Amino acid sequence: MDRENAARVVAETDVVVVGGGPAGLAAAVAASRNGAKVALVERYAQLGGLASGAMVLVLDDMCNGSEITVKGICQEMIDRMAAMKLAVFPPEEDRLAEESLYRKWARWGLYDYYARSKPAPVCYAAAFDPEGWKRASEDLVKENGIHLRLHSWFSSPILVGDRIRGIVCETNDDRQSIRGDVVIDCSGDLVVASRAGAPFIGGSYFLTTVFRLGGVDTEAAEAFEYESPENYAEVDKRAKEILGGSWDKWWLKTPLPGIVWCNCPHMRNYDGAKVEDLTSAQLEGRRRIDELYAYVRESYPGFEKSYIVDLAPQIGVRQTRLLDGEYVVTKEDVQDRVHFGDSVARGRDYYTPYRALVPKKVEQLLVAGRHYSATSIAQRTSREIPPCMSMGEAAGTAAAMALESGGLVRSVDVSKLQKKLRAQGADPGDVPSANATVITQRGPEGPILPARGARGASERRASEH
């Protein structure tokens, strides 16, 4: 309490959102649009988190076949960046499984990574520029009257009993407190919830130092790939050996001509929550990038005149602490497309229940983003930017609803929340898609069994509550 008292109160508000990444932006905007007074706290110099700071420059995992499953504020961001000519996505007529269309869009990363057929179908996804994301985010914050505080590093929660009442931040000036009736943890690393005493599990996945190259003749590089496949395969193999880990296509085009982004190198056996590991991974990534750059300038047609534009200012951390919330999403839930009655967010073809955003043991706190309540394996295939934004929009709307009713966020009427989200243009997943595994209730005399889904989900006992 002495540390809290020593912090200067700089804002008193209804909702405090910690983390200005995609989930935090969506949470802040949704809460404000639903009548709450909102403060948004971000430790870096810009909004965007992994989207802009770590330069994860493709928005994917947002369609189930031809059905677009993530809408709302995420789609609004795409539209705003496209208006700036800083986002690119395939038109509907190109979203097919044809070789010519695959070649047209593959180097944008806008195809179904999970498809087993070849060529993989082109799908609805968007490639964007990081500066476009920053500008669109700032516009949304300003338009919605959100009190933004950059350069503010979350330090500790303010707790009164088991109820959170705000946060304390470290700044270059002094220690500052922001008081609020509801706090939404969109930090990505669960720093608010974990320090407030909410249960969590440890998680780990590989780290990435994303970088961009400029001066690339992408037409020549693509011609080399398709017209000299044997030579290309040899060069591509060596490039990946240098990187030590990458996706199938280690470079992708961006809306800026001649600028490609490289979502690599991937580095394993590091803990994204530890300063020592983050420091070592940062240095290792730079070493690998320098070696790769020297190689491709000599060996990869189209890269002869290339140059390193930048390394992402944030290292790409995919998983650290994960909430152990009122419901823990499992690998089977994601793989079998299990539909929940309290679904409030969607990803590709999976659903996120409201309970997975609600911590145990702490009142008036919600969680949204890659640290939501899921097992480590489940999170690895359900943590992309669009579903995280969908979670944020749901959390922000729920926070405003709880404030309006004078109740607790854990007691929000989810059916009303789902209706609000639909009215806002989002898809909360209340209506299951045709290929979902729908949980049906038999009553107290028998178990609850999921119907068999499109992937042949095995029958298993499950309960919605």
Side-chain angles (χ1 to χ4, degrees):
M1 187 60 70
D2 289 341
R3 286 175 59 81
E4 292 166 12
N5 289 337
R8 180 167 61 95
V9 178
V10 294
E12 296 191 18
T13 190
D14 297 327
V15 177
V16 182
V17 179
V18 178
L25 174 72
V29 170
S32 180
R33 286 177 174 174
N34 281 279
K37 184 180 178 182
V38 181
L40 177 59
V41 178
E42 168 57 44
R43 63 179 176 171
Y44 291 110
Q46 74 282 321
L47 294 171
L50 293 183
S52 62
M55 297 198 300
V56 181
L57 303 183
V58 167
L59 297 171
D60 58 0
D61 238 31
M62 57 188 303
C63 64
N64 180 18
S66 60
E67 176 193 16
I68 298 174
T69 55
V70 180
K71 302 176 183 178
I73 294 171
C74 182
Q75 183 59 54
E76 186 174 346
M77 283 291 290
I78 294 172
D79 292 341
R80 285 171 177 257
M81 291 188 294
M84 301 175 193
K85 302 190 183 304
L86 293 176
V88 175
F89 52 87
E92 188 172 0
E93 60 269 22
D94 281 6
R95 298 172 207 162
L96 301 169
E98 293 181 4
E99 183 64 32
S100 61
L101 294 174
Y102 174 79
R103 291 191 181 192
K104 178 180 178 181
W105 292 105
R107 279 294 173 185
W108 292 95
L110 308 180
Y111 61 93
D112 186 351
Y113 302 118
Y114 294 89
R116 297 179 180 178
S117 59
K118 290 188 177 182
V122 176
C123 66
Y124 185 72
F128 65 93
D129 177 77
E131 294 303 319
W133 188 282
K134 295 172 192 176
R135 287 161 54 190
S137 297
E138 290 166 4
D139 288 346
L140 274 173
V141 165
K142 183 177 180 180
E143 291 167 16
N144 287 280
I146 296 164
H147 179 62
L148 176 63
R149 300 190 75 82
L150 300 174
H151 304 282
S152 299
W153 197 286
F154 169 80
S155 175
S156 60
I158 299 172
L159 294 167
V160 178
D162 64 355
R163 186 167 181 152
I164 194 165
R165 304 294 302 196
I167 63 165
V168 175
C169 291
E170 300 288 350
T171 76
N172 198 38
D173 184 17
D174 57 1
R175 303 188 72 253
Q176 300 178 352
S177 70
I178 302 171
R179 306 301 173 100
D181 297 311
V182 176
V183 176
I184 307 178
D185 183 351
C186 298
S187 65
D189 295 308
L190 204 73
V191 293
V192 182
S194 62
R195 294 180 190 179
F200 65 94
I201 64 170
S204 182
Y205 206 15
F206 57 85
L207 306 181
T208 300
T209 43
V210 176
F211 66 104
R212 292 189 296 177
L213 296 175
V216 178
D217 185 339
T218 55
E219 290 187 10
E222 288 182 281
F224 175 58
E225 178 178 358
Y226 293 111
E227 295 172 12
S228 303
E230 293 183 0
N231 291 336
Y232 164 77
E234 182 179 343
V235 171
D236 191 58
K237 179 182 178 183
R238 178 57 187 150
K240 289 174 179 174
E241 288 173 350
I242 294 171
L243 289 167
S246 72
W247 303 117
D248 179 46
K249 297 187 182 299
W250 60 265
W251 68 268
L252 295 174
K253 293 193 285 189
T254 76
L256 302 180
I259 304 291
V260 304
W261 77 287
C262 310
N263 190 11
C264 50
H266 298 339
M267 295 167 291
R268 302 183 186 276
N269 302 316
Y270 288 111
D271 185 336
K274 293 186 179 300
V275 168
E276 297 85 355
D277 282 13
L278 290 168
T279 301
S280 296
Q282 198 82 53
L283 298 176
E284 180 183 341
R286 185 177 295 279
R287 178 187 60 76
R288 293 188 192 184
I289 290 165
D290 287 345
E291 185 178 352
L292 174 83
Y293 170 60
Y295 173 72
V296 296
R297 274 183 60 94
E298 296 296 327
S299 306
Y300 201 137
F303 285 79
E304 299 93 340
K305 298 180 180 180
S306 65
Y307 51 88
I308 296 176
V309 176
D310 52 8
L311 273 64
Q314 288 178 235
I315 196 165
V317 178
R318 290 172 173 80
Q319 185 181 115
T320 53
R321 306 176 195 88
L322 299 173
L323 181 69
D324 181 6
E326 292 295 339
Y327 183 84
V328 180
V329 174
T330 67
K331 179 179 91 170
E332 291 76 20
D333 290 334
V334 177
Q335 288 185 343
D336 296 348
R337 307 181 177 107
V338 171
H339 177 265
F340 303 93
D342 64 335
S343 173
V344 292
R346 296 195 64 179
R348 176 182 66 257
D349 54 5
Y350 49 84
Y351 305 81
T352 304
Y354 183 65
R355 289 162 293 158
L357 309 182
V358 181
K360 300 172 184 175
K361 298 186 178 181
V362 185
E363 298 298 347
Q364 298 307 76
L365 175 65
L366 289 171
V367 166
R370 62 177 171 85
H371 52 313
Y372 82 111
S373 183
T375 65
S376 177
I377 297 297
Q379 189 265 9
R380 293 182 183 188
T381 54
S382 61
R383 51 156 179 76
E384 301 293 341
I385 291 171
C388 286
M389 294 194 75
S390 188
M391 292 182 218
E393 187 165 0
T397 304
M401 288 176 61
L403 290 168
E404 185 178 19
S405 67
L408 299 175
V409 292
R410 71 173 63 254
S411 303
V412 163
D413 186 326
V414 175
S415 64
K416 291 182 179 179
L417 172 58
Q418 291 168 333
K419 289 176 183 177
K420 269 188 174 290
L421 290 167
R422 279 213 171 269
Q424 294 166 191
D427 184 344
D430 53 328
V431 180
S433 297
N435 61 356
T437 296
V438 180
I439 294 177
T440 55
Q441 182 123 22
R442 287 189 177 180
E445 70 284 355
I448 297 170
L449 296 173
R452 190 171 294 275
R455 292 183 184 173
S458 61
E459 290 191 346
R460 53 190 167 78
R461 296 190 178 189
S463 173
E464 285 197 273
H465 301 289

